[in-house]
Amino acid sequence: MTSMRSNKQKIRNQIAAGNMGRLADEALKAAAANHGFWGDDWSEIFDALRDLPLEERRRLAHALIERFHSLDTQPETRQKVLTLLGIIARDLPDDFFLPTERLAELEALGARHSFWHATRLDLLAEAELATGRQLAPSVVAVFRRTALAAYRAEHLVELVKKLTTPVLNVGEAWADHAMEQVTGSDDDPWHALLVHALTATASKPSAKWDKQAQALIGTIGADRVGRTVLSWLALVGRPRTIPLERQTYEPDINNGYDPYNANALRGLAWLLSILPPHPDTARALGALVETSLKKVAGMGPRNPKVANAGVIALSRVDSEAALAELARLATRVTYKNTAKLLDVALEARATALGLSREEIEELAVPAYGLTEVGRARHQLGDVTALIEIHGTKSVFGWRNAAGKEVKSVPASVKRDHADELKELKAAAKDIDKMLSAQAERLDRQFLARRTWAYDAWRERYIDHPLVGTLARRLLWTVDGRPVGFADGELRTLTDDPVTTGSEVELWHPVGREPAEVVAWRDWLERHEITQPFKQAHREVYLLTDAERATGTYSNRFAAHVLRQHQFNSLAAIRGWRNKLRLCVDDSAPPAVRELPQWGLRAEYWIEGDGEEYGEDTTESGSYLRLRTDQVRFYPIAAPENSAHCYGGEYSMWLRDGQDPVEPLPLTEIPPLALSEVLRDVDLFVGVASVGNDPTWQDGGPGGRFQEYWSGYSFGELNQSAETRRALLDRLIPRLAIADRCTLEGRFLHVKGERHTYKIHLGSGNILMTPNDQYLCIVPKSAPTSPQTGYLPYEGDRTLAVILSKAMMLAKDTEITDPTILSQL
Amino acid sequence: MGMVTFVDETTSGDRAAGWGLEIAEERLALRELIRRRVFQEVAEFNARTPEVFQGLVQPKDTERVLNGYALRTPRRIDPEAQTDLALKAFAGNGFLVLVGDRQLTDLDEEIELALGTEVTFLKLVALVGG
């Protein structure tokens, strides 16, 4: 700052001396030192320069122009000359300001998303406007975007107020399209509508906003406004029509929304909610929410504000379609803020109807015109359209007047019933989306501990035209008796029909005899039922003796290396709360899943991995990888744990004299909750582990994950597992246990006396037949018995583990280790 | 009398070149075969006393290091004690032995040692429940 002070003094000296040539030099020198930051220090100088008499300003302008041409300097210096010229511009003739160069400078700016407000490029714009000319639309856009993001930049805000045309920023498909329909004159009601939409900067529309909107709708006609706005919204999220140049460290701006237009989008969403309800409205708003939450590199969700406006709008529409859309979004949206809004909206509806939140979600599932479970019949003239649900997809079928099946849409329908056909097709799309949302909702019911009264359950599940297609493929218990749906009836394992009952629950394999689990799998196969998600074949995770020994935590999924971003989205989908860890001095809670119905909170302890910026982090500084540690359970109200993002102990964050709360003993966790939580964690590891990435053969950065990588594999066998397989193929016939072993697919099957075991050739993990229970056996860390030496060419440890496991399990009656025995 | 080749086969897929051991008898119990191997290993070690012992089983009072076991203090290794350890390790599934194309499970089983018989040692891992 000392140099700034002395620079200032030098400038003042030259002003006093009236030496305009030296003044130009000193000003440029000072400008070169400011690295583009024309901060508050400069306001004094700006004022001094502006106050120079006309003649001196003229001489200064000449001097600057001379330097501009003679210096032949870098673009930044040229820009600084233009800025200084902008300051002294007042009542000097236009040709002093290098108008062509200034225009070029401004035009170049139009290719950017925004710029740093302190570079004072507004001075160029002001100078340009002072000539009576307009700025190009793309230039207007960049100034508007910058003004929205800039902090304490009144000069920009003032400038942007003068930039009233075009009404929206150019460059986005929907906005370009909307502006084509608007004349731009102030008496055009469409123009007024867009201007009004742009004022949607609050989180909710005010009564005043609504009233004005109503008036504008009145002048055009509700129907026309609805149709037109829907056609605009349909274009939201399309690739930009004017691609922007991405600067260093800038996020993927071309996939984000223009922040100026985003305000208009919010207004348009609000606008739709005060129009008469229509299925298309709910659909469009739902799509807007999802499109706005799509993630963009370096930015996160595209525009949560617009997404939230969509939710607010939906919650204001009193229609079945809107409620259904809210319920559907509630199962899909993972962005916390928006999810909360959805929750509030559904809760409000539930309260209004005197129902529970769960019930409102059940009742919100529309039938979409289906008249019986999974089927609908529509008469279009003399043609019959059939919609049938197969799996999680709807399928169209057509019958002509003679009742004969025809493959494609009959011409008469296309000609005479175009609108109905369009609506049917849209409904079919809604069905597909709703089916997958409902399958996800049902999958979450295991942990929701739901019970239903039999009659309500029949109506909302088994006999519901849409949900029934899923519910009829699941297993339930009626008054404790397991049943499935086959041949038009609920039936027990022995196919005896069950027609009445009082209390219904969703069946879960935990706590069931393996024989029963297997029997149900056979039953499903016999009745050719494909379940919408794993239920009879669901993996079961029981407490192991090692976990009984560690008491309050499980190490089963510790010491893995996970891809953070993949983990983060998976966790969100499975109802976990997690914070992306940045490589900065900050702390974060572990990944948490709250189980309010059980009064529990499950925690998966994680920490960021590595410290090399750019190598271990993304451009924006979030860790690429996480290391994993224990899984723990706490009472749901226990104070939050947190740890430093780059590792170290987790500790409890105690406020207002709170007492610390100990983790709960794993033995006290209900088996179903434990199993489902560990299943989630296994999924995270199974999917997000870097061990799955074949490009990591070199061990990743610095090779430091080599051992982890090679020791790990899930899913399809990678090359090293294939090698293992070839080796086993050769080795097994020579072993004493050869007659008990078979290699099948990805597994080595070992027949023991108690069970048959499947050892995964990639990871060495064991599943027990018949019910695919996970058998946890791990290498002993500090063996007490004499150890075999490391042979000089130590090879693949996983193969040694697989062989050792096979040897042990082939004689499972001889196992004495109680921690293993208890799992068999 | 014959030359028996010992191969420490592990799991990288490669096999070591193997090393030969002259054995005068034609038939030998597995227990004795293991003893001969261990004696030979220990004898070679004691002749040179390097810092790291590379052998079938870990000697007492050593630390595991890359490719072997480091002795805390330089010393000679007792072949008898080392044989005992090896036999215990065998009983506890520490390694398994293939003679020709057959795995031997009984220490007292007698092996026919034809010329060029290959004896393979395969290392296993101690396991516990997790």
Side-chain angles (χ1 to χ4, degrees):
Chain A
M1 281 300 106
T2 327
S3 70
M4 185 63 208
R5 199 173 302 151
S6 71
N7 280 335
K8 251 199 248 180
Q9 194 50 53
K10 283 179 193 161
I11 289 170
R12 254 186 239 118
N13 292 345
Q14 294 310 327
I15 290 174
N19 190 339
M20 291 300 119
R22 295 282 300 278
L23 175 58
D25 289 335
E26 291 300 344
L28 278 175
K29 229 189 269 172
N34 75 9
H35 301 291
F37 179 70
W38 305 83
D40 293 342
D41 283 334
W42 280 86
S43 61
E44 240 177 278
I45 299 174
F46 285 175
D47 287 343
L49 293 179
R50 278 198 195 100
D51 289 347
L52 288 170
L54 180 66
E55 190 44 43
E56 295 204 344
R57 274 189 282 129
R58 192 192 297 272
R59 273 163 47 215
L60 179 57
H62 274 299
L64 284 168
I65 292 164
E66 203 176 295
R67 296 218 178 6
F68 185 92
H69 290 303
S70 69
L71 285 172
D72 193 27
T73 37
Q74 307 98 324
E76 304 93 76
T77 315
R78 286 168 160 259
Q79 203 180 69
K80 281 163 188 161
V81 173
L82 291 172
T83 306
L84 287 169
L85 281 171
I87 291 159
I88 56 167
R90 184 166 49 94
D91 52 60
L92 287 181
D94 187 27
D95 52 344
F96 271 113
F97 313 121
L98 306 165
T100 322
E101 287 80 356
R102 183 179 59 210
L103 205 59
E105 203 67 48
L106 285 168
E107 294 274 310
L109 213 51
R112 308 248 317 250
H113 177 265
S114 50
F115 55 87
W116 189 27
H117 66 89
T119 51
R120 296 304 306 268
L121 295 171
D122 58 303
L123 290 167
L124 301 192
E126 292 280 9
E128 183 68 15
L129 289 175
T131 66
R133 286 191 292 263
Q134 297 281 321
L135 298 179
S138 62
V139 180
V140 170
V142 73
F143 277 104
R144 281 173 172 170
R145 288 191 290 262
T146 306
L148 277 178
Y151 172 67
R152 285 182 59 191
E154 290 79 7
H155 49 273
L156 262 180
V157 175
E158 286 307 312
L159 168 70
V160 164
K161 275 186 195 156
K162 294 182 217 161
L163 306 174
T164 51
T165 47
V167 58
L168 298 175
N169 271 358
V170 291
E172 287 187 319
W174 82 265
D176 292 355
H177 181 66
M179 285 189 290
E180 276 168 28
Q181 293 179 298
V182 174
T183 55
S185 69
D186 288 341
D187 53 358
D188 177 1
W190 285 106
H191 183 266
L193 198 75
L194 282 174
V195 170
H196 186 55
L198 277 166
T199 62
T201 50
S203 63
K204 272 182 196 167
S206 63
K208 193 175 149 223
W209 194 95
D210 278 349
K211 206 175 145 203
Q212 253 175 295
Q214 286 287 16
L216 287 164
I217 292 167
T219 59
I220 303 173
D223 196 43
R224 250 183 91 201
V225 171
R227 260 185 295 123
T228 311
V229 171
L230 285 174
S231 76
W232 294 346
L233 291 191
L235 298 173
V236 174
R238 291 268 180 96
R240 282 185 63 85
T241 52
I242 304 174
L244 298 170
E245 282 168 15
R246 193 172 168 185
Q247 312 286 308
T248 325
Y249 301 122
E250 216 166 33
D252 187 6
I253 41 175
N254 278 308
N255 277 313
Y257 286 175
D258 185 307
Y260 187 79
N261 288 351
N263 279 340
L265 280 179
R266 294 165 87 186
L268 293 177
W270 294 353
L271 207 64
L272 283 180
S273 69
I274 50 177
L275 294 171
H278 188 275
D280 283 344
T281 309
R283 240 171 244 151
L285 288 171
L288 182 68
V289 173
E290 282 188 296
T291 314
S292 305
L293 289 179
K294 279 228 178 83
K295 288 201 179 149
V296 175
M299 202 184 286
R302 264 181 186 154
N303 200 311
K305 284 183 180 176
V306 173
N308 292 351
V311 174
I312 294 285
L314 275 173
S315 68
R316 281 161 33 112
V317 177
D318 188 19
S319 78
E320 197 186 305
L323 182 58
E325 201 61 32
L326 284 172
R328 187 184 71 79
L329 288 171
T331 67
R332 305 280 306 166
V333 167
T334 56
Y335 182 70
K336 201 172 153 193
N337 228 315
T338 311
K340 230 185 223 164
L341 269 184
L342 283 164
D343 213 53
V344 169
L346 285 171
E347 201 81 59
R349 271 305 158 87
T351 323
L353 295 170
L355 297 166
S356 76
R357 164 70 200 272
E358 283 89 1
E359 282 176 303
I360 195 86
E361 273 182 53
E362 282 165 6
L363 290 171
V365 186
Y368 294 116
L370 298 173
T371 40
E372 49 191 308
V373 175
R375 285 171 67 87
R377 181 186 291 270
H378 294 274
Q379 206 63 40
L380 305 174
D382 50 9
V383 175
T384 314
L386 288 171
I387 300 178
E388 272 182 50
I389 295 175
H390 293 277
T392 50
K393 281 262 169 306
S394 50
V395 180
F396 269 100
W398 299 95
R399 293 234 170 106
N400 63 18
K404 218 176 135 232
E405 255 180 77
V406 285
K407 271 196 181 146
S408 53
V409 185
S412 66
V413 172
K414 282 188 192 164
R415 189 182 57 233
D416 305 331
H417 304 278
D419 282 349
E420 284 157 281
L421 179 65
K422 211 175 123 209
E423 176 53 32
L424 276 185
K425 281 191 172 162
K429 247 187 212 163
D430 289 346
I431 288 175
D432 295 352
K433 277 195 199 163
M434 189 51 101
L435 276 173
S436 64
Q438 288 301 318
E440 269 166 50
R441 186 173 72 83
L442 280 163
D443 196 352
R444 287 187 198 174
Q445 298 299 311
F446 288 119
L447 278 178
R449 295 184 101 172
R450 284 300 304 283
T451 58
W452 293 268
Y454 180 82
D455 292 333
W457 169 75
R458 282 232 49 141
E459 185 188 326
R460 292 177 208 165
Y461 285 86
I462 291 294
D463 298 331
H464 187 280
L466 187 130
V467 183
T469 63
L470 303 168
R472 289 182 175 187
R473 291 187 281 138
L474 292 172
L475 301 175
W476 306 82
T477 64
V478 174
D479 299 333
R481 251 172 40 176
V483 296
F485 192 93
D487 301 327
E489 292 278 9
L490 289 167
R491 292 178 193 277
T492 64
L493 250 181
T494 47
D495 281 340
D496 300 321
V498 172
T499 50
T500 56
S502 52
E503 198 184 66
V504 182
E505 277 178 275
L506 198 55
W507 182 93
H508 191 284
V510 151
R512 302 275 162 190
E513 287 296 324
E516 186 197 324
V517 177
V518 176
W520 276 114
R521 290 183 185 179
D522 292 344
W523 186 91
L524 290 168
E525 206 170 301
R526 194 166 73 240
H527 291 287
E528 294 179 352
I529 295 169
T530 316
Q531 298 206 292
F533 50 84
K534 274 191 180 182
Q535 185 189 24
H537 293 78
R538 207 170 185 81
E539 301 82 356
V540 168
Y541 297 78
L542 303 176
L543 200 63
T544 64
D545 274 12
E547 284 159 349
R548 276 190 200 95
T550 51
T552 52
Y553 58 89
S554 164
N555 263 337
R556 223 190 273 199
F557 301 103
H560 285 282
V561 180
L562 308 185
R563 281 181 286 254
Q564 155 148 275
H565 293 81
Q566 200 174 12
F567 167 75
N568 192 51
S569 15
L570 260 180
I573 291 168
R574 298 296 303 172
W576 291 66
R577 183 155 51 76
N578 184 50
K579 198 172 149 189
L580 268 187
R581 274 150 176 78
L582 300 178
C583 188
V584 293
D585 186 12
D586 189 14
S587 59
V592 166
R593 177 156 188 187
E594 279 171 357
L595 311 170
Q597 289 85 355
W598 309 76
L600 293 175
R601 179 176 89 206
E603 298 191 347
Y604 190 25
W605 286 13
I606 47 178
E607 64 183 45
D609 176 81
E611 51 201 18
E612 286 295 320
Y613 232 79
E615 185 145 298
D616 296 321
T617 70
T618 62
E619 266 177 34
S620 47
S622 56
Y623 282 106
L624 286 172
R625 288 169 293 275
L626 297 172
R627 290 183 172 277
T628 70
D629 200 347
Q630 309 166 356
V631 175
R632 296 183 169 217
F633 289 86
Y634 286 89
I636 195 162
E640 192 170 64
N641 278 311
S642 64
H644 242 281
C645 291
Y646 43 77
E649 289 274 306
Y650 272 94
S651 57
M652 219 163 241
W653 175 245
L654 301 172
R655 277 173 254 235
D656 312 327
Q658 274 176 313
D659 290 323
V661 176
E662 295 296 316
L664 295 165
L666 296 178
T667 47
E668 284 178 21
I669 308 303
L672 196 151
L674 180 82
S675 183
E676 287 295 305
V677 164
L678 291 181
R679 184 174 182 267
D680 278 355
V681 178
D682 195 6
L683 173 84
F684 301 154
V685 173
V687 173
S689 167
V690 297
N692 295 321
D693 188 345
T695 61
W696 274 52
Q697 210 139 19
D698 60 353
R704 67 180 194 275
F705 303 108
Q706 182 69 64
E707 204 185 332
Y708 175 73
W709 187 87
S710 54
Y712 184 94
S713 162
F714 259 83
E716 289 306 306
L717 295 188
N718 55 35
Q719 201 47 50
S720 69
E722 289 292 354
T723 314
R724 213 169 278 152
R725 192 191 151 87
L727 245 121
L728 283 169
D729 209 6
R730 183 163 65 78
L731 204 55
I732 284 169
R734 300 156 69 188
L735 300 181
I737 58 164
D739 56 341
R740 291 187 165 270
C741 299
T742 40
L743 271 172
E744 266 175 47
R746 289 174 278 152
F747 292 94
L748 171 62
H749 292 242
V750 180
K751 207 179 157 335
E753 290 300 327
R754 295 159 179 268
H755 301 275
T756 294
Y757 307 89
K758 300 195 290 185
I759 309 176
H760 190 264
L761 299 179
S763 59
N765 287 340
I766 310 164
L767 295 173
M768 291 193 278
T769 56
N771 56 345
D772 275 353
Q773 188 179 320
Y774 182 78
L775 172 59
C776 196
I777 298 180
V778 293
K780 203 170 184 173
S781 52
T784 44
S785 58
Q787 242 195 319
T788 45
Y790 260 115
L791 300 170
Y793 25 82
E794 190 63 35
D796 171 357
R797 184 169 160 84
T798 306
L799 182 51
V801 168
I802 291 172
L803 264 180
S804 308
K805 285 180 175 176
M807 302 287 294
M808 174 187 264
L809 295 172
K811 294 180 187 159
D812 55 1
T813 49
E814 292 172 22
I815 294 174
T816 52
D817 184 343
T819 60
I820 298 174
L821 272 183
S822 65
Q823 299 182 65
L824 298 181
Chain B
M1 142 151 190
M3 176 72 83
V4 173
T5 310
F6 286 91
V7 181
D8 289 336
E9 178 155 10
T10 55
T11 41
S12 55
D14 302 324
R15 291 147 56 93
W19 45 284
L21 183 65
E22 273 194 23
I23 289 181
E25 296 86 343
E26 281 182 8
R27 296 171 66 81
L28 212 55
L30 174 60
R31 181 190 308 280
E32 179 61 15
L33 191 71
I34 293 174
R35 196 188 70 81
R36 298 267 178 107
R37 172 190 165 142
V38 173
F39 264 69
Q40 180 68 21
E41 250 170 17
V42 173
E44 279 177 20
F45 174 83
N46 285 343
R48 293 179 292 123
T49 55
E51 279 171 21
V52 173
F53 174 75
Q54 295 184 339
L56 187 59
V57 282
Q58 177 175 16
K60 283 214 166 93
D61 202 29
T62 56
E63 270 175 46
R64 181 179 241 182
V65 293
L66 193 66
N67 285 341
Y69 295 96
L71 278 70
R72 297 215 168 97
T73 45
R75 62 180 161 95
R76 293 166 71 81
I77 288 175
D78 178 5
E80 285 296 352
Q82 197 61 17
T83 306
D84 276 348
L85 286 176
L87 293 176
K88 247 192 235 164
F90 180 81
N93 263 348
F95 61 91
L96 57 85
V97 181
L98 303 170
V99 176
D101 267 340
R102 199 164 63 86
Q103 181 191 353
L104 296 188
T105 50
D106 188 350
L107 283 172
D108 294 314
E109 194 171 349
E110 291 226 326
I111 313 155
E112 291 253 13
L113 294 171
L115 194 67
T117 298
E118 218 179 52
V119 180
T120 308
F121 287 79
L122 250 172
K123 199 196 99 164
L124 297 175
V125 180
L127 298 170
V128 289

